[in-house]
Amino acid sequence: MQLTQKEKSLLQDQLHHEEVCIQKYQSYAQQTQDPKLQQLFNDYASQEQQHHNTINQLLGNPNQQPSGQQASPKQQNKLQPQGMQNQQLDALLCNDMLMTEKYVSNAYDTTIFEAASPQVRQQLQHIQQEEQQHGEGIFNYMQDNGMYQPQ
Ligand SMILES: [Fe+2]
Ligand SMILES: [Fe+2]
């Protein structure tokens, strides 16, 4: 597919955002002690992987694993400061992902408005809808667990 320079450059940015989302969700799934949250993060990590594949296809890149995915987050990347309760850590992880999803969804908005091809536009709209569902899933988890109570 022939892309405009602007599409290419914005899609490259989105590709990078998806890589960060994959890495964060995978790493956070290892850090939480709650199996429900772990499941949620793992599900979203694989959806982010699909987004990454879709954007690679739009860019005409051969599909490959995102760089750095093999890096094991294990001990050294743990966010948990000493003495932090499990639920405090979970709230921190959720807040970070909520902010991340909000940012990524906004970035898709810009990319969609700049998309010259209807095919690109349509696929990005589908991805953006899933980003908003990720935000909703995290929001609901936080509400169910008393981490977030909008007035
Ligand atoms: Fe995504
Ligand atoms: Fe997402």
Side-chain angles (χ1 to χ4, degrees):
M1 186 188 326
Q2 200 57 39
L3 299 171
T4 65
Q5 276 309 319
K6 197 149 198 176
E7 281 176 318
K8 270 188 213 160
S9 130
L10 288 167
L11 285 172
Q12 285 294 349
D13 284 351
Q14 298 302 118
L15 193 67
H16 178 64
H17 297 153
E18 293 296 347
E19 271 176 37
V20 173
C21 285
I22 295 164
Q23 286 170 15
K24 279 195 183 191
Y25 277 128
Q26 286 177 342
S27 160
Y28 292 1
Q30 289 183 21
Q31 291 183 47
T32 179
Q33 302 294 316
D34 179 3
K36 262 178 81 177
L37 189 58
Q38 187 170 52
Q39 182 67 51
L40 193 77
F41 285 164
N42 277 327
D43 288 348
Y44 290 174
S46 57
Q47 284 192 318
E48 306 298 12
Q49 182 64 62
Q50 287 167 20
H51 297 166
H52 191 269
N53 293 347
T54 301
I55 293 170
N56 255 334
Q57 276 162 17
L58 290 174
L59 281 165
N61 296 338
N63 264 328
Q64 78 250 7
Q65 296 295 307
S67 58
Q69 204 198 356
Q70 307 309 332
S72 163
K74 292 280 158 3
Q75 298 301 336
Q76 65 273 34
N77 280 353
K78 284 213 172 203
L79 271 177
Q80 190 162 16
Q82 279 191 341
M84 191 182 248
Q85 304 292 313
N86 286 339
Q87 224 217 4
Q88 278 179 295
L89 173 68
D90 288 348
L92 180 62
L93 300 178
C94 286
N95 271 307
D96 183 49
M97 287 323 300
L98 210 50
M99 285 170 62
T100 302
E101 291 288 357
K102 199 188 269 187
Y103 173 81
V104 171
S105 179
N106 272 326
Y108 272 112
D109 225 34
T110 305
T111 310
I112 288 165
F113 272 92
E114 295 292 346
S117 124
Q119 197 189 338
V120 172
R121 194 174 277 252
Q122 202 182 11
Q123 303 221 47
L124 297 181
Q125 281 169 340
H126 175 76
I127 293 177
Q128 192 192 29
Q129 200 176 14
E130 290 190 343
E131 308 300 11
Q132 287 176 8
Q133 285 163 4
H134 295 169
E136 188 182 355
I138 293 166
F139 181 96
N140 290 339
Y141 175 88
M142 292 180 81
Q143 235 180 4
D144 292 348
N145 291 276
M147 294 170 179
Y148 194 52
Q149 283 118 351
Q151 299 294 309

